[in-house]
Amino acid sequence: VLTALHEDFSLAPEFVASLTVAARDGTLRRRFRHDPAQGRVRGKTGTLRGVAALSGFVAAGPEQKLGFVLLSNGYARRRLGAVRSGHTAIVNTLYAFLAGRETPSAGDASAPRGTTHGDGARAASSDDDSDGDADTVADSEAPPTPDL
């Protein structure tokens, strides 16, 4: 469905415009901040009790993009942050694949934020909104959004 809408000339502009940009606006404004995929993801989120979803596109360039749909269910409400961090790590890995970069290994200081290191310690997550800070990343800090 994502690809079909994206490739339908009559629907694509409105469809892509409806997707929020990671670390910039909408429900993704606080996600992916300072992550490899910052500003390179357009997507939609959804949350119900015990269900979290993230779908959209990640791009490393005009001809380098992937559509993705992530859906997690059956988790305890207190685990929502961990689920979102897992979604973020997956999308950062997709971006690294597209960009031709090595994906960081567990325990690596450059591991995607929100992941667990080899020693079990949890890395800081770009999805943690504990500071309540609603600021968005300035355009000068975020990479330009590639054409999706």
Side-chain angles (χ1 to χ4, degrees), residues 33-119:
R33 288 190 284 188
H34 311 292
D35 285 347
Q38 172 185 315
R40 301 194 177 274
V41 175
R42 285 187 172 263
K44 290 285 188 189
T45 62
T47 307
L48 297 171
R49 182 179 295 167
V51 180
L54 174 62
S55 61
F57 298 94
V58 60
E63 300 299 318
Q64 297 174 296
K65 63 184 168 230
L66 289 173
F68 64 89
V69 177
L70 304 172
L71 177 66
S72 300
N73 65 1
Y75 60 87
R77 182 163 175 76
R78 68 183 184 281
R79 302 291 299 157
L80 177 59
V83 169
R84 286 181 176 166
S85 292
H87 287 179
T88 299
I90 291 168
V91 174
N92 278 319
T93 300
L94 292 173
Y95 172 73
F97 168 77
L98 286 173
R101 298 182 180 153
E102 289 279 327
T103 56
S105 60
D108 184 345
S110 62
R113 297 163 55 93
T115 61
T116 302
H117 294 294
D119 61 1

Side-chain angles (χ1 to χ4, degrees), residues 9-29:
F9 181 76
S10 65
L11 300 173
E14 290 82 7
F15 173 65
V16 171
S18 76
L19 302 175
T20 62
V21 179
R24 289 202 188 151
D25 59 17
T27 57
L28 291 177
R29 75 181 171 276

